[in-house]
Amino acid sequence: MSGIAPGMSVPVPKEFSVLTDRQRAIVQSTVPLLETGGEALITHFYQTMLGEYPEVRALFNMAHQQSGAQPRALAYSVLMYARHIDRLDALGDLPAQIINKHVALQVQPEHYPIVGTCLLRAIREVLGAEIATDEVIAAWGTAYQQLADILIGAERQAYDRTAAAEGGWRGERAFVVEDKVQESAEITSFYLVPADGGPVIAHQPGQYIGLRLVVDGQEQRRNYSLSAPADGRSLRISVKREAGGKVSNFLHDRVRVGDTLQLFPPAGHFTLQPGERPLVLISGGVGITPTLPMLDAALPTRRPVVFIHCARERGVHAFREHVDALAAVHPQLTRYYCYDRAEEGDGVDAQGLLTARQLGEWLPAVDADVYFLGPRPFMRSVKESLKALGVPQEQVRYEFFGPAEALQ
């Protein structure tokens, strides 16, 4: 299976760049500067790299650049790395998260020198020569190479595992759109089968694939959650039409049944873990997509499952009929729906925003395994509510590629 699972140690190559004690101290001394000006530095870094190295543009979502989400995410990762440079195991799931994103987008070893060159230039140009001395730049150069060596080694292992697995592949693989189904006013599913007629690797519930396509002459790469369980022959992604979204609108408006798309293998560490405690799946909007295969995988285990979904209104609530059908035949499944705006006959359990009080009434127990995903404000609220309700933090899992502080 591709990617690095949560809790797994990130493999360190036998031969990689080693920081001296002085270099380590220099890197850590820059943490206060990164805390106050890291986002400006990373923004300058992105402008330099994307302007001078067009070959890496496809690896970055330009919408996330414009919103500042990607610079903030990288600034956070750099800060955490610098802060824990002498104890990398304290980074927790962050390396696994980064590695899985890189694997899904097919980041390659030749991309790392480009990033390193631009990062060191940004440090020098933003902090100035008086602060970013030759010694500081040399220390950061070694620190970056150490990180690059670790990530390259882990990603190579992930690529090798996927290529060796039954139904696996390396790089891109052609898939044909077998069916296209509108699930709601905003979400459309694409059923994809290999053009070569071969088997498909068994992905884990909660993983996503990478998609490479050319839109208006420009290469684009995106990650989309797999919204159906593994069946060995096909994959399904369910894509929300985003206002101004170049790729989502292309998929909705221009991709037809019979068209061919290029896919990278499944990856991702937000996956359903085995357990006997009650399982709670909480989603908002299109965040429902990875919870669907989690739900399908959990039901045969007989563990109690609570499925909570929040949507703006009935018209944008995808997969309701599927979940209702499962609840009708699985007595251990309880489902709740919450709409911002509800009309008579919508059959919702709550209206308005999902509050801690409401969530507390729906939780089967505080001692539960909880997975949640959705828009950032929704996730922030759910995270705070679960903490206030006393759900153990080690039993709470979510997928969020960005600064952890954004969910505080």
Side-chain angles (χ1 to χ4, degrees), residues 228-293:
D231 64 6
R233 67 167 296 273
S234 66
L235 298 171
R236 185 181 76 180
I237 59 174
S238 302
V239 181
K240 178 187 176 184
R241 182 193 292 274
E242 300 287 353
K246 182 172 292 188
V247 174
S248 68
N249 281 279
F250 178 87
L251 290 170
H252 275 251
D253 297 335
R254 296 164 62 179
V255 171
R256 301 284 184 264
V257 172
D259 288 351
T260 299
L261 299 175
Q262 300 296 328
L263 268 60
F264 302 132
H269 78 301
F270 178 65
T271 55
L272 181 65
Q273 302 302 304
E276 298 182 354
R277 286 187 291 263
L279 173 66
V280 182
L281 302 173
I282 308 172
S283 57
V286 75
I288 194 174
T289 52
T291 67
L292 296 172

Side-chain angles (χ1 to χ4, degrees), residues 43 45 48 51 59 89 116 124 128 151 155 158 163 188 203 233 236 243 250 273-274 283 293 295 298 312 333 366 384:
T43 298
F45 152 77
T48 300
L59 299 174
D89 59 336
R124 173 81 82 179
L151 296 180
E155 288 156 16
T188 294
H203 60 85
R233 67 167 296 273
R236 185 181 76 180
F250 178 87
Q273 302 302 304
S283 57
L295 175 60
R312 296 196 314 277
L333 169 61
V366 171
E384 292 173 352

Side-chain angles (χ1 to χ4, degrees), residues 77-358:
S77 300
V78 170
L79 172 62
M80 293 297 290
Y81 174 61
R83 182 181 292 163
H84 300 292
I85 194 85
D86 57 345
R87 196 164 62 88
L88 296 181
D89 59 336
L91 292 173
D93 278 351
L94 182 61
Q97 184 183 46
I98 293 171
I99 290 164
N100 278 284
K101 288 291 181 180
H102 285 186
V103 168
L105 293 171
Q106 295 290 292
V107 171
Q108 300 297 323
E110 58 265 27
H111 296 135
Y112 282 89
I114 295 173
V115 173
T117 297
C118 295
L119 180 61
L120 296 181
R121 272 185 57 186
I123 292 174
R124 173 81 82 179
E125 293 171 2
V126 172
L127 299 184
E130 291 186 5
I131 297 176
T133 63
D134 290 345
E135 188 178 29
V136 168
I137 295 298
W140 261 103
T142 304
Y144 173 79
Q145 191 58 54
Q146 171 183 280
L147 178 61
D149 290 342
I150 293 172
L151 296 180
I152 289 171
E155 288 156 16
R156 181 185 300 114
Q157 291 187 18
Y159 292 139
D160 290 345
R161 281 196 303 273
T162 301
E166 182 180 1
W169 69 95
R170 188 185 301 274
E172 61 186 60
R173 184 180 181 187
F175 277 70
V176 177
V177 180
E178 183 179 53
D179 200 5
K180 180 179 179 181
V181 178
Q182 186 170 345
E183 309 288 1
S184 75
E186 298 178 334
I187 297 175
T188 294
S189 288
F190 297 83
Y191 291 77
L192 309 169
V193 295
D196 59 20
V200 178
I201 188 172
H203 60 85
Q204 298 180 49
Q207 288 194 307
Y208 47 80
I209 53 89
L211 174 66
R212 188 190 76 83
L213 67 168
V214 177
V215 179
D216 299 330
Q218 294 185 334
E219 181 185 350
Q220 305 284 344
R221 300 189 187 191
R222 294 291 188 275
N223 296 146
Y224 289 108
S225 293
L226 291 159
S227 60
D231 64 6
R233 67 167 296 273
S234 66
L235 298 171
R236 185 181 76 180
I237 59 174
S238 302
V239 181
K240 178 187 176 184
R241 182 193 292 274
E242 300 287 353
K246 182 172 292 188
V247 174
S248 68
N249 281 279
F250 178 87
L251 290 170
H252 275 251
D253 297 335
R254 296 164 62 179
V255 171
R256 301 284 184 264
V257 172
D259 288 351
T260 299
L261 299 175
Q262 300 296 328
L263 268 60
F264 302 132
H269 78 301
F270 178 65
T271 55
L272 181 65
Q273 302 302 304
E276 298 182 354
R277 286 187 291 263
L279 173 66
V280 182
L281 302 173
I282 308 172
S283 57
V286 75
I288 194 174
T289 52
T291 67
L292 296 172
M294 290 182 179
L295 175 60
D296 284 317
L299 290 176
T301 69
R302 296 294 180 180
R303 66 192 298 194
V305 181
V306 172
F307 190 92
I308 301 171
H309 182 65
C310 301
R312 296 196 314 277
E313 59 189 18
R314 179 67 182 92
V316 297
H317 182 177
F319 302 105
R320 176 168 174 161
E321 291 77 11
H322 172 72
V323 175
D324 287 347
L326 291 175
V329 296
H330 293 280
Q332 78 272 30
L333 169 61
T334 305
R335 96 291 182 271
Y336 298 103
Y337 303 138
C338 178
Y339 292 171
D340 290 352
R341 301 182 298 273
E343 298 180 0
E344 186 176 353
D346 279 346
V348 295
D349 302 284
Q351 184 173 351
L353 299 179
L354 179 61
T355 64
R357 179 178 177 180
Q358 185 66 78

